[in-house]
């Protein structure tokens, strides 16, 4: 369906979209400022707050001792205190919170707190942590075929170590929460979170009050990218604690610098791999160990590691695979969800491997990928059957779009005739599994109300963060009720309207919430059939069967006689008088998902999204600077609910992935303190970094496995396309130094070093 409406577009453009920062000031609100740890690992000897407490305007200084319930904010794994009572685990860990009448007073008072500590040695990298067996849970493994016997007899064997760096989320709106006490002992939290349920649950445990006393409301987020799925909880807990203890509104709000220093990021991984292949370049066996740098607390690291493992083979059918993973505890801020959730890390390794095999055998990089590609009926290493695989068709389209054969010849010719500038091509196929790998999260609810003027209000547990979930949910409801998208309001995500909502994450926002909204809207529509038939009968004087009615274009009409119709609005007025319910609740759970960790087998995903990218770069070998000359993307997404929004998601994600692997350089010192903690030292892609020729094509597909109205998720998978640029740069470097292996991210510095 051609769609141009975008519910937030006009609001964003005119500055009228409402974020938490736009909430009216609340009388008597206290402002929180935090004492952050100067050190990554230490034992606390003494924390003296007396001077801070005496500072004018300060109401309270709160720390570990002031928490009414258990000092525990861990969710999946309970290993994280709100404020550490004894052991500091990362630099910039919050240690205490000053609550004052204004921010200046709070800030001044924080400086008066004195901390005495005994320094402990920090572990900062995953390899050291792994050697010390610092894991949150024992090793996970997935195995298929017979890896050892293949390695014993394979014609070619190669091994290596591949590393990827982390990435800062760089959402525009920083971490924040405003907690407002109201009647009895209740709290209203305006919270920048992707997960209303988690915030409610964790605050409830921390304060020892029932969940129904905590209302979490999320109007919309100024970006999240996974950085507010779990990592928002800690700040919400602080605001809630402050409001609970003081019985006053409390605001916790990090500035950019604090946010970048104190919050976890994408996981750096180190992967040790071994591959067996034949003379044609067919992969016979793959043995990989993935080590994730999880930071100080488990957070979502184990789930992220698992998703990396589920994506370790990407688009390739590898009959003999051993995939092991260990999530390692280090003294960095707890690394967390970031668009792709481990999949980019797993995919990066196998793509590095396949590029290496292509080089060894002098094979075309697309040809070797097609040779190894999945076909329908193949099984993944975890035993999920591949159905409706699109990858071969996608390569054909990509090669055609990029005029691949000519491009390859042009690049070769350019390289033959230029000494200081080299061009390279990179290919990046993607197969991305859609569903939370934690099966229980794949459920959601929606509430639909039709008011008596015919306007509609929809609530889901989904959080709007720029991905325009609200428009997609409205598109779904508009199709069911046959009314315009503009007639539909999608409300904030609020625990009072939709409880027990899973995080808006895993790219499942529109699948889960769209389906729940569809089910609710269908109930409303079915409730309207009787009154509609009655009204049409009254108007026409002939008998009408409720089954004969069509809801479309703002009307209800008879399929057998489209001339006989009533407007949706008139119908609603009539239905109200007839005392017919004009609201409904919808519940959806994704069918047929399971995974058994003990045996490493199951069907963790409802379906896969496929796509591929091709990048052309030109590298200035003296400067280490590159230009991204061309980026082509073919992205399969079923029957799109909204092609412009999906296009925006693909473009934005690909550029975000490009930034990750080429310019975003997270640096910490030997004491584990981030030194690249603001935009002057941490470079994200800007408008001038866009490729000179950027072509994205959405490939519609008919998929029985797809989700609401045949659509497929778009949120995360396209981030991985950005990695095509990394491989293109590596090819360019290899024009000068054939054996070079580029380090990650491929900054100008890294590129120059690899050319040395
Ligand atoms: N797009 C924008 N503009 N802002 C975001 O924060 N987050 C991404 C993706 N697209 C994000 C975004 C991530 S990490 C996920 S999981 C999905 O959106 C979540 O939304 P969806 O499931 O509704 O696509
Ligand atoms: N993706 C994103 N968030 C999650 C997942 C996942 O697969 N599992 C648990 N939280
Ligand atoms: Mo997205 S990383 O699943 O929030």
């Amino acid at each position: 369906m051609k769609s141009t409406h975008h519910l937030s577009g006009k609001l964003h453009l005119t500055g009228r979209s409402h974020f938490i920062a736009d909430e009216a000031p609340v009388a008597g609100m206290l402002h929180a400022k935090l004492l952050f740890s100067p050190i990554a690992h230490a034992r606390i000897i003494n924390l003296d707050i007396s001077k801070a407490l005496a500072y004018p305007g300060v109401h309270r200084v709160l720390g570990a001792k002031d928490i009414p319930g258990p000092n525990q904010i861990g969710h999946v794994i309970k290993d994280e205190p709100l404020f550490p009572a004894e052991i500091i685990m990362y630099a910039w860990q919050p240690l205490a919170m000053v609550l004052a009448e204004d921010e200046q007073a709070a800030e001044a008072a924080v400086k008066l707190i004195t901390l005495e500590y005994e320094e402990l040695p920090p572990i900062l990298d995953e390899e050291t942590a792994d050697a010390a067996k610092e894991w949150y849970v024992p090793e996970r493994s997935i195995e298929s075929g017979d890896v050892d016997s293949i390695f014993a007899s394979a014609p070619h064997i190669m091994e290596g170590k591949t590393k990827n760096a982390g990435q800062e989320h760089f959402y525009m709106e920083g971490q924040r929460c405003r907690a407002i006490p109201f009647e009895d002992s209740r709290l209203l939290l305006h919270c920048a979170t992707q997960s209303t349920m988690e915030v409610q649950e964790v605050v409830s445990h921390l304060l020892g009050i029932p969940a129904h006393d905590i209302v979490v409301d999320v109007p919309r987020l100024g970006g999240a990218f996974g950085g507010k799925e779990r990592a928002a909880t800690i700040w919400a807990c602080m605001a809630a604690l402050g409001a609970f203890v003081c019985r006053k509104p409390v605001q916790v709000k990090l500035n950019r610098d604090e946010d970048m220093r104190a919050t976890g990021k994408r996981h750096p991984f180190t992967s040790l791999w071994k591959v067996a292949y034949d003379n044609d370049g067919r992969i016979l066996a793959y043995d990989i160990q993935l080590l994730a740098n999880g930071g100080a607390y488990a957070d979502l690291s184990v789930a992220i590691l698992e998703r990396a493992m589920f994506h370790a083979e990407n688009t390739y059918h590898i009959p003999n695979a051993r995939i092991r993973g260990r999530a390692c505890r280090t003294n960095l801020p707890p690394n967390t969800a970031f668009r792709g959730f481990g999949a980019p890390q797993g995919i990066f390794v196998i793509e590095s491997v396949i590029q290496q095999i292509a080089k060894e055998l002098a094979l075309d990089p697309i040809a070797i990928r097609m040779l190894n590609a999945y076909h329908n009926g193949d099984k993944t290493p975890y035993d999920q059957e591949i159905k409706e695989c699109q990858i071969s068709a996608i390569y054909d389209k990509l090669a055609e779009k990029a005029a691949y054969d000519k491009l390859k010849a042009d690049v070769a010719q350019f390289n033959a005739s230029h000494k200081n500038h080299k061009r390279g091509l990179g290919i990046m196929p993607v197969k991305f599994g859609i569903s939370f790998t934690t099966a229980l999260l794949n459920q959601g609810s929606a509430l639909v109300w039709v008011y008596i003027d015919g306007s509609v209000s929809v609530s889901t547990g989904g959080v709007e963060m720029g991905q325009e979930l609200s428009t997609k949910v409205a598109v779904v409801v508009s199709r069911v009720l046959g009314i315009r998208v503009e007639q539909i309001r999608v409300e904030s995500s609020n625990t009072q309207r939709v409880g027990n909502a899973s995080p808006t994450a895993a790219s499942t926002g529109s699948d889960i919430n769209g389906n729940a909204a569809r089910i609710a809207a269908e109930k409303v529509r079915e409730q309207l059939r009787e009154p509609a038939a009655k009204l049409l009968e009254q108007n026409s004087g002939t008998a009408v069967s409720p089954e004969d009615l069509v809801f479309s274009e703002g009307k209800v009409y008879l399929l057998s006689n489209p001339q006989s119709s009533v407007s949706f609005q008139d119908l609603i007025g009539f239905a109200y008088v007839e005392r017919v319910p004009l609201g409904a609740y919808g519940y959806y759970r994704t069918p047929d998902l399971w995974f058994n960790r003990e045996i490493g087998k199951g069907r963790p995903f409802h379906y896969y999204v496929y796509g591929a990218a091709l990048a052309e770069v030109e590298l200035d070998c003296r400067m280490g600077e590159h230009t991204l000359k061309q980026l082509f993307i073919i992205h399969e997404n079923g029957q799109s609910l909204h092609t412009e929004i999906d296009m925006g998601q693909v473009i934005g994600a690909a550029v975000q992935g490009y930034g990750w692997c080429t310019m975003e350089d997270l640096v910490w010192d030997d004491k584990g303190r981030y030194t690249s903690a603001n935009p002057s030292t941490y470079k994200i892609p800007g408008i001038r970094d866009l490729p000179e020729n950027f072509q994205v094509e959405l490939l519609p597909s008919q998929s029985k496995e797809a989700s609401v109205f045949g659509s497929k998720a778009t949120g995360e998978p396209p981030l991985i396309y950005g990695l095509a640029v990394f491989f293109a740069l590596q090819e360019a470097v290899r024009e000068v130094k054939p054996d070079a292996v580029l380090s990650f991210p491929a900054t100008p510095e890294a590129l120059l070093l690899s050319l040395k």
Side-chain angles (χ1 to χ4, degrees), residues 165 659-666 726 742-748 750-751:
W660 173 41
C661 64
T662 62
M663 50 190 103
E664 302 186 31
D665 201 5
L666 277 174
F726 182 91
L742 194 49
S743 66
F744 193 116
T747 57
L751 284 158

Side-chain angles (χ1 to χ4, degrees), residues 172-193:
M172 282 203 249
E173 172 199 49
Q175 300 282 351
R176 66 194 56 211
C177 179
R178 187 186 270 195
I180 302 167
F182 65 109
E183 191 179 71
D184 200 1
S185 59
R186 308 181 67 190
L187 292 175
L188 167 62
L189 308 182
H190 296 289
C191 180
T193 178

Side-chain angles (χ1 to χ4, degrees), residues 40 141-142 152 211 435 471 610 621:
S141 102
I142 293 171
S435 291
T471 297
Y610 295 93
C621 301

Side-chain angles (χ1 to χ4, degrees), residues 229 300 303 307 337 341 435-438 441 503 505-506 716:
E229 177 177 347
L300 292 165
R307 183 171 283 272
F341 205 78
S435 291
F436 286 96
T437 56
T438 308
L441 294 176
E716 298 168 281

Side-chain angles (χ1 to χ4, degrees), residues 49 91 175 342 600 625:
I49 60 165
Q175 300 282 351
E625 302 272 358

Side-chain angles (χ1 to χ4, degrees), residues 177-214:
C177 179
R178 187 186 270 195
I180 302 167
F182 65 109
E183 191 179 71
D184 200 1
S185 59
R186 308 181 67 190
L187 292 175
L188 167 62
L189 308 182
H190 296 289
C191 180
T193 178
Q194 290 170 252
S195 184
T196 55
M197 180 191 189
E198 183 183 301
V199 166
Q200 187 190 46
E201 212 183 330
V202 176
V203 169
S204 149
H205 287 297
L206 189 81
L207 302 181
I209 59 176
H212 69 198
D213 279 356
I214 300 151

Side-chain angles (χ1 to χ4, degrees), residues 194 223-226 338-340 465-467 469 504-510 649 714-716:
Q194 290 170 252
F225 308 110
F338 194 137
R339 205 172 196 171
M465 58 186 109
Q467 88 282 39
L469 173 61
T504 304
S507 304
T508 60
S510 50
Q649 285 289 298
T714 41
E716 298 168 281

Side-chain angles (χ1 to χ4, degrees), residues 68-86:
N71 180 10
Q72 182 53 253
I73 61 165
H75 193 229
V76 185
I77 295 174
K78 307 241 179 295
D79 69 344
E80 184 170 356
L82 180 63
F83 297 112
E86 197 186 344

